[in-house]
Amino acid sequence: MARAIVLRQLAASAKSRRQLEDKLADRDIPEDIAEEVLDRFEDVNLVDDRAFAEMFVRSRAETRKLSRSALRRELAQRGITGSLADEALEQRTDEDETRDAHALVRKKLPARVDLTDRREQDRLTRRLVSMLGRKGYPPGIAFGVVKEELAQLGAGDDDSSDPAGAEVWDTP
C-alpha cells in the first residue's frame, strides 16, 4: 500500500522525500514501513532530493520569477535545506534576479501612466515594490528596479514625441 501511495504521488509530480514522508504519515503508514519504501525508491533513483531541488529552482524561477530567498523558503517547506538547497540555488545569479525583477515590473506597468503626477507615481512605485517584495526581492533591489523602469518609461514618453513629425521612410 505504501508503494502504491508513493507511486501515485510521483506520477502526479516530482516530490521531495519529506513530502512523501508527510503523505505516508497522513495515510497512517507506520514510520518504519514508510522509511523502508522510501529508501528503496531512493536506491532506484525515483526519489532524489538533489535532482528535485535543482528542477524546482529552475522551474519556479522561470515560471514565477521568484528571488533566491523566496525559493529557499519554498524548498524548506518541502524539506530541502542546508547544502542541498544551497547547491540548487547556485543556479541563480544576482544578474538573473535583477533581470527577472525588471521583467516582472515591465509586465505589471500600466499601458498609460502619468508620471508627472507625483501621487500617481508614488502609488505605482508602492504597488510595484510591494509586488517584488511578495516575490522575495529585498527592498533595495525592488526600489532600484522600479526606479529604473519608471525612468525608462518617462524617457520613452519624451523620445516618442518627435517635434519635427514622424520619420517618413517612403519619401524619395
Side-chain angles (χ1 to χ4, degrees), residues 92-123:
R92 303 284 298 156
T93 64
D94 291 341
E95 293 80 26
D96 292 335
E97 283 193 342
T98 302
R99 183 187 65 242
D100 287 348
H102 278 280
L104 284 166
V105 169
R106 282 191 298 271
K107 182 179 174 185
K108 295 292 184 180
L109 278 172
R112 293 191 176 269
V113 61
D114 181 12
L115 294 179
T116 60
D117 181 358
R118 184 66 182 179
R119 284 197 319 206
E120 176 66 15
Q121 185 177 355
D122 289 347
R123 185 190 68 77

Side-chain angles (χ1 to χ4, degrees), residues 1-9 24 29 33 37 40-41:
M1 179 160 166
R3 254 187 60 199
I5 293 169
V6 171
L7 283 172
R8 262 195 315 276
Q9 290 299 309
L24 291 172
I29 302 297
I33 293 174
V37 168
R40 178 69 181 128
F41 273 81

Side-chain angles (χ1 to χ4, degrees), residues 19-33:
Q19 287 176 298
L20 294 170
E21 288 170 349
D22 292 345
K23 186 55 76 174
L24 291 172
D26 290 346
R27 299 285 181 97
D28 297 323
I29 302 297
E31 198 172 313
D32 58 329
I33 293 174

Side-chain angles (χ1 to χ4, degrees), residues 27-117:
R27 299 285 181 97
D28 297 323
I29 302 297
E31 198 172 313
D32 58 329
I33 293 174
E35 188 157 332
E36 182 181 319
V37 168
L38 291 174
D39 287 346
R40 178 69 181 128
F41 273 81
E42 278 185 347
D43 290 343
V44 295
N45 292 325
L46 289 174
V47 174
D48 182 351
D49 280 354
R50 177 171 277 109
F52 170 80
E54 289 175 5
M55 179 274 314
F56 184 84
V57 167
R58 251 189 331 274
S59 172
R60 283 292 222 229
E62 182 64 33
T63 58
R64 297 193 52 219
K65 307 278 191 230
L66 296 176
S67 72
R68 284 181 296 221
S69 64
L71 289 167
R72 183 179 302 281
R73 277 192 306 276
E74 288 199 8
L75 284 171
Q77 289 172 348
R78 288 159 178 78
I80 309 293
T81 58
S83 64
L84 281 179
D86 292 340
E87 288 174 25
L89 291 167
E90 284 176 3
Q91 304 174 67
R92 303 284 298 156
T93 64
D94 291 341
E95 293 80 26
D96 292 335
E97 283 193 342
T98 302
R99 183 187 65 242
D100 287 348
H102 278 280
L104 284 166
V105 169
R106 282 191 298 271
K107 182 179 174 185
K108 295 292 184 180
L109 278 172
R112 293 191 176 269
V113 61
D114 181 12
L115 294 179
T116 60
D117 181 358

